[in-house]
Amino acid sequence: MPGAILITNFHGKEFYLMQIVVHGYKEPLFFPAYTWIHPRKDNPESRIIFKNKAYLPSQTPLGIKDLRREDLLSIRGNGKGERKMHERIYDYAPYNDLGRPDKDDLYRPVLAGEERPYPRRCRTGRPMVKSDPSCETRVEKPDPVYVPRDEAFEEIKQNTFSAGRLKAMLNNLIPSIAAALSNSDIPFTCFSEIDKLYNDGLVLKGEEQKVNGKSFPGNFMKQVGKLFKYEIPAIIRRDRFAWLRDNEFARQALAGVNPVNIELLRDFPIVSKLDPAIYGSPESAITKELLEPELHGMSVEEAIEDKRLFMLDYHDMLLPFIGKMNNLPGREAYATRTIFFYTRTGFLRPIAIELSLPPTGSSPGKKHVYTHGHDATTHWIWKLAKAHVCSNDAGVHQLVNHWLRTHACMEAYIIATHRHLSSMHPIYKLLHPHMRYTLEINALARQSLINGGGIIEACFSPGKYAMEISSAAYKSMWRFDMEALPADLIRRGMAVEDPSMPHGLKLVIEDYPYAADGLLIWSTIKDLVESYVEHFYPESNLITSDIELQAWWNEIKNKGHYDKRNEPWWPQLNTKEDLSGILTTMIWVASGQHAAINFGQYPFGGYVPNRPTLMRKLVPEEGDPDYEKFILNPQQVFLSSLPTQLQATKVMAVQYTLSTHSPDEEYLFQLLDVQGHATNDHEVLELFKKFSVRLEEIENIINERNKDFRLHNRSGAGIPPYELLLPTSGHGVTARGIPNSISI
């Protein structure tokens, strides 16, 4: 009975092979392919397609052992030469292609090594820059960037992505038109101008204009403006003014698009870990005297003991970069700390915000603490302080929690999986649905999103230092063992171990939608993975003797995360428990974690005042030249501190695209259908069937939670339900649905 089929394409063009079915046996034999077969003229080697049966390396039938090894070797390549678009070779390279060393304003340092560590990306083998041999030459859009052929978007996905990107591209391709022919690259002057983005689009001048000698009629300009018309974001659809309120500001730390930074305040006074010789006194300016009037009669010590004080702390992550950031045109930022108090009635309230500037040659560092106050002036100052916190939160969310911790880290796992696990390997089959489209979306991001001069630099506070901040976060805080949801919650003090509770954890704030729903998804993935591992590895010695599996894990540590290879916290891979933990973490990161922090980007960030991605002015202080302007027109000062109209529409277009589900999205609840093509093992398929049934139950549980008016962070007048971890979704911007993989 055949175990593999060799395919040679004698046509002049590639074709997509879904599967081969061989009849004439007791039952039909299935050989799933789902791959592009290149023409023989491109590569004379035949492609090897294996039967839909999983084998550990030691259990591989003798007749196909050599083919198994040959197929893996062909995928690894030899690490030499420039990759061609038809190839399917997976290899590693550092992030050395983000900038243009030949252009001073676009030089960006290589992210690799002790000073600027980072995960590795997929190697393209493009030539190095002559003026700086450490940097690889770039391919600019619309030219395609190499990814292994089977990683590229299929037609439906490509069309969806291109349609969404059109709006973003227009913002990049016609900046001269937009700037010269419109009022767009100026601040918003009133809130109604922001509202018009959802009703009329960007307002462009309606008369004929000339740019670079070319005439553009007024009607054309009006039509261009309509292209920048946006859907009303969820955050203001039910309540236009919710974003102004302190309780909404706090709610989004638990149920917004970035619910993974809030932490329990465990020590007081708050002390920085930065070098005091460089950054001044490490003690925070937040004192007992400032906090205790807000603690409803409690002392700071009592509130800490009772687990009622929480913090968003971006001080140490950002302060080393603030001086450089504030030297960029149109950027004014602080390193921020925000303290929240969890009341006895179950509400989280922000009570103090510390804004810090680093020392400079001419002045010592500044630390100013703001509280919400009760008079009109302090009310507006408090609003501006919150906006600075939101700006930092938006940057850390995008560069650290979204890009680094999901996209970049997953890329290294995917490369190792293809290089070391045969497509017959049961762990390859388990992981395969969770790798779809990730390398392609990452390559596109390096081309136009996170690159030097790209959209992130143009629209977020860190500007050209964005990826250096991402690297610094990887250096100081990323650990594989802490990417597991329970470990992350415990690390942040948001949960404690409790064997009597479901999932073995007790949440410190019960009404924490991301954590409560996330633990349902995490535990269901964990149950599936443990059963799957038990099925293929009934004895732990099968794990230690699995040469492909051990090589896979070693390469993830020693190549994919080369700069962290010597860290002591990497899990061992000796037991079933070790393997289950590693796989559960990877699948959670690719599915639930990415869904929770990605698909709310437009619903929360599409209204600029709610989550400004940069701030253009510092908070006015008495004695400042503009303080009088602030007193006379605080709304204008607030709006002029936000991104310009052009910056706002540019980032809104990107957020909309990133928040969109494609019609060909494959979701977590559909794993049974996906795995049905990969295996003929009925016991395994039964595991995926149970998994799908459990996800249906979870959907019902989450829907019921969203109707429970005791849970103030997900229900109530004007409050959007928390749906980011609902398993199902239609296509479009839905703020719900968990895809199998990081596909956008």
Side-chain angles (χ1 to χ4, degrees):
M1 189 176 294
I5 294 177
L6 273 61
I7 302 289
T8 303
N9 178 6
F10 291 97
H11 297 287
K13 294 182 179 179
E14 65 179 6
F15 66 85
Y16 189 74
L17 178 64
M18 296 182 70
Q19 68 174 350
I20 301 167
V21 183
V22 179
H23 298 275
Y25 293 88
K26 188 176 179 181
E27 292 179 342
L29 304 181
F30 293 90
F31 296 78
Y34 300 95
T35 184
W36 289 95
I37 306 293
H38 53 259
R40 192 181 185 197
K41 64 181 176 63
D42 290 333
N43 186 344
E45 300 293 326
S46 297
R47 285 290 306 280
I48 305 166
I49 309 298
F50 295 105
K51 189 167 169 258
N52 64 339
K53 181 171 174 57
Y55 294 105
L56 297 179
S58 61
Q59 299 165 347
T60 310
L62 192 60
I64 56 174
K65 263 194 171 182
D66 288 345
L67 290 177
R68 180 175 186 143
R69 183 172 176 276
E70 181 184 324
D71 191 47
L72 277 177
L73 289 175
S74 71
I75 287 170
R76 290 177 202 161
N78 60 10
K80 298 177 182 177
E82 184 172 358
R83 299 274 63 86
K84 298 179 176 61
M85 297 304 292
H86 70 269
E87 293 177 330
R88 56 180 199 118
I89 291 176
Y90 297 78
D91 204 351
Y92 302 94
Y95 274 63
N96 62 351
D97 64 340
L98 297 179
R100 296 275 302 273
D102 50 330
K103 295 190 175 182
D104 289 344
D105 59 330
L106 291 179
Y107 168 78
R108 298 295 179 268
V110 175
L111 301 185
E114 189 175 340
E115 185 181 353
R116 295 187 185 91
Y118 217 63
R120 296 304 187 257
R121 63 173 175 89
C122 187
R123 180 183 179 275
T124 66
R126 294 191 300 267
M128 307 310 275
V129 178
K130 289 181 181 178
S131 61
D132 186 346
S134 68
C135 293
E136 189 173 279
T137 53
R138 287 181 50 76
V139 172
E140 304 295 350
K141 61 186 181 185
D143 293 328
V145 180
Y146 169 79
V147 293
R149 183 63 184 95
D150 291 338
E151 305 295 329
F153 289 167
E154 293 171 24
E155 187 175 1
I156 294 173
K157 175 71 173 180
Q158 183 61 53
N159 291 341
T160 303
F161 183 77
S162 297
R165 195 169 64 166
L166 174 62
K167 202 171 271 188
M169 285 178 64
L170 281 168
N171 276 296
N172 285 326
L173 294 176
I174 61 166
S176 58
I177 297 176
L181 307 186
S182 73
N183 302 312
S184 57
D185 204 18
I186 59 173
F188 294 104
T189 58
C190 58
F191 285 99
S192 61
E193 288 182 350
I194 300 175
D195 295 338
K196 283 180 180 177
L197 293 174
Y198 315 112
N199 301 322
D200 306 323
L202 190 63
V203 179
L204 302 183
K205 295 176 184 177
E207 63 263 14
E208 181 174 323
Q209 296 288 328
K210 286 191 175 183
V211 178
N212 298 332
K214 294 183 179 180
S215 295
F216 293 87
N219 286 340
F220 169 78
M221 294 314 302
K222 286 183 178 178
Q223 293 303 314
V224 170
K226 288 179 182 178
L227 289 170
F228 299 95
K229 184 178 176 181
Y230 297 89
E231 290 181 14
I232 298 174
I235 190 61
I236 58 166
R237 197 178 297 142
R238 297 178 180 218
D239 183 348
R240 284 182 59 199
F241 304 107
W243 67 276
L244 284 165
R245 295 194 291 270
D246 284 355
N247 62 348
E248 178 61 22
F249 174 81
R251 188 189 76 84
Q252 289 184 33
L254 299 169
V257 71
N258 189 41
V260 297
N261 279 106
I262 188 168
E263 59 184 301
L264 184 69
L265 181 61
R266 288 171 273 202
D267 299 300
F268 199 87
I270 302 164
V271 179
S272 169
K273 294 177 182 174
L274 296 175
D275 185 351
I278 301 173
Y279 299 104
S281 172
E283 280 207 3
S284 166
I286 299 172
T287 63
K288 288 184 183 183
E289 290 74 23
L290 287 167
L291 294 183
E292 288 182 346
E294 306 292 334
L295 301 185
H296 296 185
M298 301 178 81
S299 68
V300 167
E301 290 82 5
E302 289 169 333
I304 288 176
E305 178 68 24
D306 210 24
K307 296 184 177 178
R308 296 200 170 275
L309 288 176
F310 296 84
M311 178 168 60
L312 272 182
D313 188 357
Y314 299 130
H315 179 277
D316 285 11
M317 187 185 297
L318 295 180
L319 192 66
F321 295 91
I322 292 295
K324 294 187 287 188
M325 287 163 53
N326 288 353
N327 284 330
L328 298 172
R331 300 289 202 283
E332 296 289 356
Y334 299 94
T336 59
R337 285 191 184 101
T338 309
I339 306 298
F340 300 88
F341 178 61
Y342 187 55
T343 69
R344 296 192 187 280
T345 53
F347 286 94
L348 194 67
R349 292 178 52 240
I351 59 173
I353 293 173
E354 180 182 39
L355 304 181
S356 299
L357 294 172
T360 63
S362 57
S363 65
K366 279 187 177 181
K367 300 175 185 176
H368 199 119
V369 180
Y370 298 92
T371 55
H372 48 77
H374 300 286
D375 63 90
T377 302
T378 54
H379 179 72
W380 274 102
I381 292 286
W382 177 246
K383 263 209 246 315
L384 283 164
K386 286 196 297 181
H388 275 279
V389 173
C390 290
S391 173
N392 284 349
D393 191 73
V396 171
H397 162 261
Q398 196 67 264
L399 296 166
V400 180
N401 300 326
H402 182 213
W403 174 259
L404 167 65
R405 293 175 63 188
T406 64
H407 283 259
C409 288
M410 199 68 204
E411 182 160 359
Y413 311 149
I414 291 169
I415 296 168
T417 300
H418 283 284
R419 284 170 57 85
H420 287 286
L421 299 181
S422 164
S423 60
M424 284 190 288
H425 199 291
I427 303 306
Y428 176 93
K429 290 179 181 291
L430 176 68
L431 289 177
H432 188 254
H434 307 290
M435 305 189 291
R436 186 176 188 238
Y437 290 155
T438 303
L439 295 193
E440 171 84 342
I441 196 65
N442 284 6
L444 290 169
R446 285 188 290 270
Q447 189 177 42
S448 59
L449 198 66
I450 63 169
N451 59 301
I455 293 169
I456 297 297
E457 290 192 359
C459 299
F460 284 76
S461 282
K464 68 179 184 179
Y465 304 107
M467 289 303 289
E468 290 184 59
I469 289 175
S470 190
S471 169
Y474 179 68
K475 182 177 184 177
S476 65
M477 54 78 67
W478 187 85
R479 295 175 47 154
F480 181 88
D481 59 332
M482 292 293 125
E483 293 302 292
L485 177 60
D488 175 60
L489 292 171
I490 291 168
R491 170 171 67 168
R492 291 188 282 120
M494 301 303 292
V496 294
E497 291 187 69
D498 186 342
S500 69
M501 297 293 290
H503 325 298
L505 291 182
K506 178 177 173 57
L507 294 178
V508 173
I509 297 177
E510 183 184 347
D511 186 13
Y512 184 2
Y514 159 76
D517 295 358
L519 285 170
L520 290 174
I521 302 296
W522 166 272
S523 297
T524 305
I525 294 171
K526 181 171 178 280
D527 290 345
L528 169 68
V529 170
E530 287 177 348
S531 300
Y532 189 93
V533 167
E534 178 65 38
H535 179 76
F536 286 102
Y537 296 95
E539 303 295 335
S540 285
N541 68 333
L542 289 171
I543 291 174
T544 54
S545 63
D546 186 332
I547 55 172
E548 288 183 7
L549 190 70
Q550 294 297 329
W552 167 78
W553 184 235
N554 284 332
E555 187 164 283
I556 285 172
K557 294 182 293 183
N558 295 313
K559 283 194 175 181
H561 287 272
Y562 178 82
D563 301 325
K564 293 263 188 179
R565 65 195 181 281
N566 295 321
E567 297 288 354
W569 40 252
W570 283 104
Q572 298 293 310
L573 183 48
N574 298 323
T575 67
K576 290 181 276 189
E577 291 74 23
D578 294 340
L579 179 56
S580 296
I582 290 166
L583 295 171
T584 302
T585 297
M586 289 180 180
I587 294 171
W588 160 254
V589 167
S591 57
Q593 178 72 349
H594 182 258
I597 59 177
N598 180 71
F599 292 104
Q601 290 196 71
Y602 185 79
F604 285 98
Y607 187 67
V608 178
N610 183 57
R611 279 180 74 76
T613 54
L614 60 82
M615 294 293 284
R616 301 190 306 119
K617 292 184 178 181
L618 297 177
V619 175
E621 297 178 15
E622 286 191 63
D624 288 350
D626 290 339
Y627 190 76
E628 191 62 33
K629 289 182 185 175
F630 165 70
I631 294 297
L632 292 172
N633 195 338
Q635 175 180 289
Q636 188 174 29
V637 170
F638 178 85
L639 289 169
S640 65
S641 299
L642 302 181
T644 65
Q645 294 187 32
L646 191 60
Q647 288 169 330
T649 53
K650 188 181 290 191
V651 81
M652 285 164 66
V654 173
Q655 288 170 333
Y656 192 88
T657 302
L658 297 180
S659 302
T660 300
H661 289 294
S662 171
D664 73 337
E665 196 84 271
E666 291 180 358
Y667 295 93
L668 205 56
F669 75 93
Q670 297 172 315
L671 268 181
L672 175 62
D673 299 331
V674 176
Q675 291 289 352
H677 299 292
T679 182
N680 61 0
D681 189 322
H682 295 294
E683 287 184 39
V684 168
L685 294 176
E686 192 60 33
L687 296 178
F688 286 103
K689 184 177 180 181
K690 284 173 61 180
F691 179 74
S692 297
V693 169
R694 177 56 183 157
L695 288 179
E696 285 183 34
E697 294 169 357
I698 288 172
E699 180 131 349
N700 293 331
I701 292 169
I702 292 174
N703 285 330
E704 288 304 309
R705 287 175 174 176
N706 286 332
K707 297 173 187 174
D708 187 342
F709 283 96
R710 295 170 300 175
L711 302 176
H712 306 297
N713 291 321
R714 62 195 311 154
S715 64
I719 301 293
Y722 187 75
E723 297 182 327
L724 288 168
L725 286 167
L726 276 175
T728 66
S729 176
H731 66 268
V733 177
T734 63
R736 59 179 288 169
I738 305 176
N740 286 324
S741 63
I742 300 168
S743 58
I744 190 64

